[in-house]
Amino acid sequence: MPDTPDIADRRDAVCVIGAGASGLAAIKNLREAGFEVDCYERETSVGGAWNWRHDRSPVYAGTHLVTSRPLTEFPDFPMPDTWPDYPDHKLVLSYLERYSAHFGLEDDVWFGTEVVSVEPVGDGRWDVTTQSTGGGSSRVQRYAGVVVANGHNWSPARPEIPGDFRGQVIHSAQYKDPAQLRGRKVLVIGGGNTGCDIAVEAAQQASTVWHSTRRGYWHAPEYVLGRPFDQITARRLPLRVRQWFYRRAVTLTSGDLTRHGLPAPDHQPYESHPVVNSRLPYYLGLGRITPVPDVTAFDGASAVLADGRRVEPELVITATGYRPRFDFLAPELLDIAEDGRPDLHLHAFARRHPTLAVVGLVQAGFGLFPLAHWQSVAVARWLRLRVTDPERATAVQRKESTRPVASWSRRRVVPTPRHWFEVDHVEYLRAVEGLLREMEAA
């Protein structure tokens, strides 16, 4: 398509959307593959979800990594050895800022700029419309490829609970400080890492704490045999062996939590996203947290539970996760189903648009940063192969498109939106490695 006066053609440059951890990794690896990059970030600084200054950040005062430092850091930029095993959000943000500064990534970031739309224009090229976050006129630029790294932990998934409630209901995205809990009767809904962390903080601040979960989960300890739990389970062992070790570690540390009133897990270890929290069993044992089943309705001052009981909280916090959103893309570009779930090869490559990719849309038992790094390496080399050897690129795409999902995704997971993007860390990296080898083959 020829140039028009109102479209600036960036020719072989690639557009990256978002300057969080995944976006920064994408900028770096695209540049190393020889591409010019324009990154658009709606906020005024890097860090994405880890930057508490950003409006969409889910970070609260007590947020910390639930995966250990060596398994979370980028493979080409280690965290300092003097840092704790589980750095808090301030350290993680400083790490991303240092990563950005070390590789000079901010030189390619347009801050305070929001992507309004991304549209295909033929031959794998894209027209990207941007606008200042504060409003004003829009601008259209044409790119050879687009990498979406806008994160999937910023648009709250709010439960639909019928009835009216006289108290206060907030999503965990609105929870920022333990002072919000002090002296209050608090009901926390959600059994994931955030729900468990907030329940533990409430146990230290609130007058009464109820923790509502829909099902039982496997609660892993932070440490086993003096080492972070994930460092012991990260070995390349058969799944059944890792499951056995997981159950054994839980038995030797927190024990059977059903005696405190939690429901028993209805699935095996690694069939749901790991919940890592050694303090939850402690406060359950002290009676500071009362486990309750799912909330089915609100009725005035009461929350009605699935077993017919009623509790009367002053504050309800729904730690019910987030949903992916790509408002700037037509749903069919990512094959997004009616429930909002995109269908992407390796949770990264658009199946019908080879120059459109998403980085960071995965969840694993270990850290996201290494996965985002290798995803962006694969995306960068894929886009480069399309330039240097289009026939080879077409052959690789044809072969990869037939690879079954089971070869890189968890074979069995709890069937909820929370686990849409759950992968086995080791198997996933093997699949990405396989793609890289396919592209490097003569």
Side-chain angles (χ1 to χ4, degrees):
M1 184 176 289
D3 289 342
T4 57
D6 57 342
I7 296 178
D9 193 341
R10 292 287 284 122
R11 302 191 183 280
D12 293 332
V14 178
C15 171
V16 173
I17 303 174
S22 298
L24 293 174
I27 298 170
K28 172 193 164 295
N29 288 301
L30 284 165
R31 286 194 342 194
E32 290 184 354
F35 289 101
E36 290 187 21
V37 180
D38 289 339
C39 174
Y40 297 106
E41 169 55 57
R42 72 185 303 275
E43 304 292 350
T44 57
S45 54
V46 302
W50 286 101
N51 195 326
W52 58 270
R53 303 177 187 89
H54 296 173
D55 291 341
R56 294 179 174 180
S57 172
V59 162
Y60 49 92
T63 302
H64 57 86
L65 290 175
V66 295
T67 55
S68 66
R69 172 172 44 82
L71 294 176
T72 304
E73 63 196 14
F74 289 114
D76 54 357
F77 192 76
M79 294 183 182
D81 291 339
T82 55
W83 279 13
D85 292 326
Y86 297 97
D88 66 14
H89 68 90
K90 294 179 183 177
L91 287 176
V92 175
L93 175 58
S94 72
Y95 171 71
L96 295 176
E97 291 171 339
R98 293 165 66 175
Y99 176 82
S100 176
H102 179 78
F103 293 106
L105 304 180
E106 290 190 27
D107 294 343
D108 293 329
V109 182
W110 295 78
F111 291 107
T113 305
E114 189 166 12
V115 174
V116 178
S117 69
V118 175
E119 299 179 348
V121 292
D123 196 28
R125 295 169 65 74
W126 302 85
D127 279 355
V128 178
T129 303
T130 59
Q131 187 176 32
S132 172
T133 305
S137 60
S138 60
R139 181 184 186 189
V140 182
Q141 298 194 93
R142 187 161 293 165
Y143 291 93
V146 174
V147 178
V148 179
N150 67 329
H152 62 283
N153 287 318
W154 57 269
S155 181
R158 303 179 189 274
E160 296 181 2
I161 302 175
D164 296 320
F165 180 60
R166 282 194 221 128
Q168 182 183 13
V169 180
I170 65 172
H171 189 271
S172 59
Q174 300 166 270
Y175 171 71
K176 297 300 178 184
D177 191 271
Q180 294 172 252
L181 311 169
R182 196 161 297 149
R184 306 178 75 180
K185 297 178 181 178
V186 177
L187 169 62
V188 180
I189 300 176
N193 282 293
T194 299
C196 290
D197 280 349
I198 295 176
V200 165
E201 292 197 356
Q204 301 168 65
Q205 302 288 339
S207 62
T208 306
V209 183
W210 298 278
H211 188 197
S212 167
T213 55
R214 184 171 296 175
R215 58 168 44 86
Y217 288 97
W218 295 92
H219 295 84
E222 275 94 347
Y223 290 92
V224 174
L225 303 175
R227 292 185 61 189
F229 181 75
D230 60 0
Q231 293 181 24
I232 296 178
T233 58
R235 306 173 190 275
R236 292 193 175 191
L237 297 172
L239 176 60
R240 289 189 178 183
V241 176
R242 285 185 285 144
Q243 288 176 329
W244 176 88
F245 183 84
Y246 197 118
R247 287 191 295 266
R248 188 66 175 164
V250 169
T251 300
L252 293 174
T253 53
S254 55
D256 181 5
L257 296 183
T258 61
R259 66 191 183 92
H260 296 300
L262 284 179
D266 58 359
H267 55 278
Q268 296 298 316
Y270 299 109
E271 291 180 2
S272 67
H273 190 66
V275 178
V276 182
N277 197 309
S278 295
R279 297 171 297 163
L280 184 70
Y282 174 74
Y283 284 105
L284 287 169
L286 291 180
R288 293 290 298 125
I289 298 174
T290 301
V292 295
D294 199 17
V295 177
T296 57
F298 288 130
D299 183 12
S302 300
V304 183
L305 306 176
D307 60 5
R309 285 184 293 163
R310 291 171 176 252
V311 296
E312 295 190 354
E314 299 169 277
L315 171 65
V316 177
I317 302 177
T318 59
T320 46
Y322 300 83
R323 293 290 177 90
R325 280 179 57 181
F326 308 96
D327 298 339
F328 44 81
L329 287 169
E332 60 269 19
L333 296 176
L334 298 180
D335 290 315
I336 296 177
E338 290 185 5
D339 61 2
R341 181 178 185 174
D343 179 19
L344 304 170
H345 178 57
L346 291 174
H347 291 319
F349 295 89
R351 295 188 183 277
R352 293 182 291 173
H353 298 275
T355 54
L356 175 64
V358 180
V359 171
L361 193 64
V362 287
Q363 285 193 158
F366 312 130
L368 171 65
F369 298 172
L371 297 184
H373 168 83
W374 288 112
Q375 278 185 323
S376 58
V377 167
V379 169
R381 293 186 185 175
W382 165 252
L383 294 175
R384 176 52 61 197
L385 185 64
R386 280 180 52 84
V387 175
T388 59
D389 192 347
E391 291 186 6
R392 178 69 187 162
T394 300
V396 171
Q397 182 186 18
R398 188 180 301 117
K399 181 175 182 179
E400 284 293 309
S401 65
T402 63
R403 180 179 290 184
V405 173
S407 67
W408 49 265
S409 188
R410 284 198 189 277
R411 289 165 175 78
R412 291 187 59 187
V413 293
V414 175
T416 64
R418 180 182 178 222
H419 298 96
W420 279 352
F421 312 114
E422 196 74 21
V423 298
D424 182 281
H425 187 100
V426 173
E427 294 299 326
Y428 185 83
L429 288 180
R430 282 178 177 165
V432 174
E433 181 183 22
L435 173 58
L436 292 172
R437 287 179 176 173
E438 283 288 330
M439 291 189 287
E440 291 171 356

